Amino acid sequence: MLSGLPVGHPGWTRFLLRWRVAEVTGVAMASAGKGSAVVWHWRGRDVVVGTTRLGSGPRALLLPALSSISTRAEMAPLAERLAGRFTTLSIDWPGFGAAPKPAMAWSPEALAAFLRFALDEVAQGPALVVAAGHAAGYVIAEAAARPAPGRRLVLVAPTWRGPLPTMLRRRPAWLGRLARAADVPGLGSALYRLNVNPAMVRVMARAHVYADPAWLTPEREAAKRGVTGAEGARHAAVRFVTGELDPFRDRADVLAAAAALREPALVIYGEDAPPKSRAEMEALAAVPGIAARVLPRGKLSLHEEFPDAVAGAILDAV
């Protein structure tokens, strides 16, 4: 029995990959209290991904950002506030989250395929999609290619370019080599530790992620750093930082996809957003047909830090 065993525990991986079920939608799912896990099949591998459901009503898919410290848990405060109107489903991205992960060369192709799986098989055609950070970039690309009548999109602090390309304002070839180095035993672990050591996590979170430095309490910081210790985490995390998981190659492609959207889309971002990221958010919000709401506070994780304000903006729009 696995009752009481957290979804992120390695025992869940072993259990789920042996588990046989009568699959109604082709999705294997096992419950674990408020959380559950689905098994996604990608190129001959089984990938266990955590999910959490709350509320009742039309289905809403909540997608967390991509980062070394991101999991579906960051969507929990927002999900609680939307649960009175929607059945919310928060889901981890493969390669991210707290569960053990296979050693894979994660790519935009893989994450785009997973998003289609989450929309079609797990959420089964949600009425609302709320996507944070890089998740918003993937949702823009998917919705432009496969519009769904009646669906609404909310893009929270949307990004499409990884931290290093953003900092450098370009994408030099050595970033790709750095990403592939993450797969090399020993070397990859050392590179990853440079990115997720406690001092780096603290500095980056306070500089770019949270508007109030006091929000990142020791308890919250410990929880964030705990995510970085998941087995196999380095393969996706380093690729995100180096821009290898960017859903678009340049701003022109992002804006073209956004202009092609046929679904109502709302961009939400905060006044405190980092300048380079904010410039991209403002460009996206200026696309004809896209609504925008600028909140008085908030950086890249405003949905986690200011869930009342973000939920209020969403509920006003839907």
Side-chain angles (χ1 to χ4, degrees):
M1 296 293 293
L2 294 180
S3 58
L5 192 64
V7 170
H9 192 280
W12 265 102
T13 304
R14 294 190 293 270
F15 168 65
L16 282 168
L17 298 185
R18 293 196 305 264
W19 191 43
R20 299 185 66 182
V21 297
E23 297 184 1
V24 177
T25 64
V27 181
M29 181 175 287
S31 294
K34 288 185 178 180
S36 59
V38 297
V39 180
W40 176 55
H41 308 289
W42 175 249
R43 293 187 173 174
R45 304 289 295 274
D46 292 325
V47 183
V48 179
V49 179
T51 69
T52 303
R53 288 181 187 269
L54 288 177
S56 61
R59 290 182 294 274
L61 178 64
L62 275 56
L63 298 161
L66 304 184
S67 84
S68 304
I69 60 174
S70 286
T71 75
R72 71 188 189 281
E74 72 184 40
M75 309 305 290
L78 185 57
E80 291 168 0
R81 288 155 177 80
L82 297 178
R85 290 264 299 273
F86 294 93
T87 297
T88 66
L89 174 73
S90 304
I91 190 166
D92 284 323
W93 287 94
F96 297 90
K101 306 151 186 62
M104 297 181 68
W106 298 104
S107 66
E109 179 188 4
L111 297 192
F114 175 77
L115 176 57
R116 291 191 292 272
F117 166 79
L119 289 167
D120 297 347
E121 303 294 341
V122 184
Q124 299 179 1
L128 174 68
V129 178
V130 181
H134 257 46
Y138 279 94
V139 166
I140 291 170
E142 168 66 12
R146 290 200 315 159
R151 183 174 64 189
R152 289 179 174 268
L153 310 177
V154 176
L155 314 173
V156 184
T159 60
W160 59 270
R161 188 170 56 188
L164 284 180
T166 296
M167 182 181 71
L168 298 170
R169 294 186 181 272
R170 60 193 184 92
R171 196 185 304 275
W174 62 264
L175 286 179
R177 294 192 291 271
L178 182 62
R180 291 188 291 275
D183 301 330
V184 179
L187 175 61
S189 296
L191 287 171
Y192 181 58
R193 285 194 296 271
L194 287 174
N195 181 54
V196 298
N197 70 75
M200 180 64 74
V201 170
R202 191 177 305 117
V203 168
M204 295 302 293
R206 290 176 175 170
H208 301 289
V209 182
Y210 304 111
D212 180 4
W215 189 91
L216 193 65
T217 62
E219 294 76 17
R220 285 172 172 156
E221 182 182 334
K224 296 292 183 183
R225 286 193 284 107
V227 173
T228 68
E231 180 184 346
R234 73 179 192 268
H235 303 284
V238 174
R239 284 177 166 81
F240 165 72
V241 169
T242 56
E244 292 296 296
L245 295 183
D246 291 355
F248 297 98
R249 303 309 292 179
D250 56 40
R251 181 191 286 186
D253 288 345
V254 180
L255 299 185
L261 293 176
R262 296 295 177 263
E263 302 161 43
L266 170 66
V267 170
I268 304 174
Y269 62 93
E271 289 282 3
D272 307 311
K276 293 177 184 177
S277 296
R278 178 167 176 164
E280 302 301 331
M281 297 171 196
E282 290 174 338
L284 181 60
V287 172
I290 292 185
R293 182 79 174 268
V294 184
L295 302 182
R297 296 294 309 279
K299 291 188 177 180
L300 295 181
S301 196
L302 71 164
H303 54 286
E304 185 179 17
E305 189 177 5
F306 303 105
D308 287 324
V310 174
I314 294 172
L315 294 174
D316 286 348
V318 300

